[in-house]
Amino acid sequence: MRTSGSREHQVVVVGGGFGGLQAVSKLRRAPVEITLVDRRNFHLFQPLTYQVATGALSPGEIAYPLRAIFKRDRNVRVLLAEVADFDLDARELHLRSVSAVPAPERLGYDTLIVAGGSHYSYFGHEDWRMHAAEVKSLESALAVRSRLLASFEAAEAELNTDAREAWLTFVVVGAGPTGVEMAGQIAELARDTLRRDFRTIDPRRARILLVEAADCVLTSFPPSLTAKAERSLQRLGVTVLTGRTVIGIDAAGVTLQGGDEGGAERIASRAVVWAAGVTASGLAGKLAELTGAEHDRAGRITVEPDLTLPGHPEVFAIGDMVRVRDRGGEPVVLPGVAPVAMQEGRYAAGVVRARLRGREHDAFRYRDKGNLATIGRAAAVADIKGVRLSGFLAWATWLVVHLWYVIGFQNRLLVLIRWSFSFATHGRGARLITGASTNSEQR
Ligand SMILES: Cc1cc2nc3c(=O)[nH]c(=O)nc-3n(C[C@H](O)[C@H](O)[C@H](O)COP(=O)(O)OP(=O)(O)OC[C@H]3O[C@@H](n4cnc5c(N)ncnc54)[C@H](O)[C@@H]3O)c2cc1C
């Protein structure tokens, strides 16, 4: 590792998501200079983007400016730029400017921590993306919100019965936690919030279909909880279609395969939401290429037990973009959830601090704190160290945990107020159709 000489040790952290943010937080009191590089100027609380997509929360309530988070830490610099490449021998990053904001072409480091996250993959069908938006980024969540709300508007204006039904058919692909949450929220939007808003259509007649290739929803949960989740979804009016694979998506609907009849089944729908399969950030692939490290089919790079790259103890990779070699040398895929990224971020910071003091450190160990998924109003499932909860208790646990981790006291308070208000009134204050469909007004 390069020693600091007269200047402070330079740590560059790529990505201000869950992993990167923890790494910076745990290093800010250390004798280091930190540069946090992100192509966004905010930290996004991804676990709640689906609530933005369904009008329950506004974007500003789940995103927080990175500069504001570290405004009191004089040794932390925030840089708005995109990392395009790495020169590991020269210990430099190649940067690209974002939103026409000038960025240095190169940025040197002594220690590098890369936490680029992941994005949704469309299983090689990139053309599906424009018909089936996902809710990982804020922009995409807002596009989903517009599409969902515009579908109800279009149904209200539509005279043809079949076409109207297509507007009122909502398909969510993938029944992991995000898909289940999305389907539950769309059902509540239709049955509860919009109930009295229209004159021609009855929003309660909307069909919400949740499509999953596996034979149950929430496959990472124990069977007793997946069964409960499925029953809760059905109570909300969601039709769960398990054992079905999506084989086509276009502007007019979805084609599925694998139902009882075995053949292809066509569903006319104008609002499809994608919540299946993720792929690691392209940064993982670049690092794998440069170091010869293995990567799996989901693009995750395999890191050593101390989260560094083979042959590069000064480079850490963490979060959704990695799998970790265990002490026996076997690559282990940890769940793609925030606690994993956060623990890895804290661990990488701890290793940097230990090295600066000339101390040894142990291999990374993930401490599984449990699994939570919400379905709707007072309905959730939780598996916390073998304790299985469902219904109101699980929902209250989910609420407290998510509020706790939302960044910034102001956001925490705003989300709490919004949730309390929505719970009491069944309302959703952010039901705005924005973006492309309103562009004509601006021209
Ligand atoms: C819809 C949804 C719901 C979820 N719900 C939950 C949940 O309820 N509970 C849970 O624990 N987990 C949940 N997750 C998973 C959780 O959000 C991820 O596991 C976590 O965000 C991973 O953290 P990370 O630091 O690896 O990446 P991220 O948090 O994704 O951060 C990556 C950061 O890197 C930046 N970046 C990427 N590439 C570049 C580049 N080239 N240059 C500069 N910056 C770059 C991005 O802008 C971003 O800020 C959910 C995920 C999604 C998408």
Side-chain angles (χ1 to χ4, degrees):
M1 213 156 110
R2 201 190 288 180
T3 48
S4 54
S6 59
R7 67 184 181 93
E8 294 286 15
H9 186 90
Q10 302 292 315
V11 180
V12 172
V13 177
V14 179
F18 283 100
L21 214 58
Q22 286 298 314
V24 178
S25 296
K26 292 291 160 196
L27 276 171
R28 56 186 163 179
R29 312 239 184 283
V32 294
E33 292 283 340
I34 307 161
T35 306
L36 172 60
V37 188
D38 202 304
R39 59 185 173 202
R40 303 266 184 248
N41 75 332
F42 54 86
H43 168 79
L44 178 64
F45 193 79
Q46 284 173 27
L48 292 179
T49 49
Y50 77 95
Q51 296 216 357
V52 170
T54 48
L57 292 174
S58 291
E61 289 158 359
I62 62 157
Y64 206 77
L66 291 169
R67 285 189 188 284
I69 298 172
F70 298 110
K71 65 184 174 196
R72 293 199 177 81
D73 303 298
R74 307 300 303 171
N75 62 335
V76 180
R77 197 162 70 101
V78 175
L79 186 61
L80 178 69
E82 183 168 52
V83 175
D85 214 338
F86 304 91
D87 184 341
L88 297 181
D89 294 330
R91 296 191 179 178
E92 282 180 344
L93 299 177
H94 295 193
L95 303 179
R96 249 196 306 258
S97 80
V98 172
S99 308
V101 175
E105 271 179 32
R106 284 164 178 263
L107 178 67
Y109 60 82
D110 297 307
T111 295
L112 175 64
I113 302 175
V114 187
S118 59
H119 51 86
Y120 276 106
S121 72
Y122 286 73
F123 306 132
H125 299 277
E126 266 313 299
D127 54 312
W128 293 356
R129 188 180 287 274
M130 67 174 168
H131 308 298
E134 33 83 8
V135 293
K136 193 166 171 72
S137 72
L138 207 47
E139 292 83 351
S140 193
L142 289 171
V144 169
R145 183 177 77 181
S146 292
R147 196 172 293 182
L148 296 178
L149 295 171
S151 294
F152 287 102
E153 296 293 338
E156 174 83 347
E158 181 62 66
L159 300 177
N160 178 286
T161 317
D162 289 345
R164 187 187 288 166
E165 273 198 15
W167 284 116
L168 285 178
T169 300
F170 299 87
V171 180
V172 179
V173 183
T178 302
V180 165
E181 285 162 355
M182 253 332 275
Q185 290 276 311
I186 299 173
E188 288 189 344
L189 182 70
R191 313 259 184 271
D192 244 7
T193 316
L194 300 180
R195 200 161 35 119
R196 295 201 187 88
D197 285 16
F198 292 90
R199 298 294 166 262
T200 309
I201 58 161
D202 178 355
R204 287 174 299 183
R205 292 198 50 243
R207 285 203 306 157
I208 297 106
L209 310 177
L210 177 61
V211 180
E212 169 59 48
D215 58 4
C216 65
V217 303
L218 297 176
T219 50
S220 58
F221 283 78
S224 60
L225 290 181
T226 65
K228 281 187 177 156
E230 210 164 310
R231 281 199 295 276
S232 296
L233 283 164
Q234 279 154 1
R235 268 199 299 276
L236 277 174
V238 175
T239 306
V240 180
L241 300 175
T242 48
R244 311 289 216 289
T245 311
V246 173
I247 55 169
I249 305 179
D250 54 45
V254 192
T255 310
L256 309 179
Q257 193 153 49
D260 290 340
E261 273 117 57
E265 182 186 351
R266 177 78 183 163
I267 294 167
S269 164
R270 308 300 292 262
V272 183
V273 181
W274 187 260
V278 287
T279 299
S281 151
L283 297 179
K286 281 196 195 302
L287 289 171
E289 218 172 276
L290 292 169
T291 58
E294 285 172 23
H295 59 97
D296 64 8
R297 283 176 59 202
R300 287 178 285 243
I301 183 172
T302 306
V303 293
E304 300 299 301
D306 63 355
L307 308 185
T308 61
L309 300 189
H312 287 275
E314 77 286 4
V315 183
F316 295 82
I318 60 172
D320 276 5
M321 59 178 264
V322 307
R323 50 181 195 164
V324 184
R325 220 174 267 292
D326 65 16
R327 285 165 199 262
E330 279 305 305
V332 178
V333 177
L334 294 169
V337 292
V340 172
M342 292 166 84
Q343 288 180 32
E344 290 178 349
R346 287 198 286 270
Y347 171 86
V351 174
V352 175
R353 293 172 77 124
R355 284 176 181 171
L356 289 171
R357 292 192 198 117
R359 294 202 188 137
E360 290 293 306
H361 52 83
D362 285 336
F364 172 74
R365 229 180 76 223
Y366 171 55
R367 287 182 177 78
D368 187 354
K369 292 185 178 157
N371 221 350
L372 287 163
T374 175
I375 299 146
R377 210 178 149 76
V381 286
D383 178 20
I384 301 163
K385 293 183 186 272
V387 178
R388 288 165 195 176
L389 306 173
S390 60
F392 182 80
L393 209 55
W395 182 73
T397 311
W398 178 91
L399 225 73
V400 171
V401 168
H402 281 72
L403 263 184
W404 179 257
Y405 284 110
V406 167
I407 298 288
F409 174 72
Q410 182 184 310
N411 278 9
R412 230 170 268 156
L413 193 65
L414 286 173
V415 171
L416 178 64
I417 293 170
R418 276 271 203 183
W419 281 350
S420 311
F421 195 73
S422 301
F423 191 79
T425 64
H426 295 240
R428 280 162 201 271
R431 295 196 319 266
L432 312 177
I433 300 176
T434 55
S437 45
T438 57
N439 280 351
S440 55
E441 289 168 23
Q442 292 154 12
R443 276 200 286 270

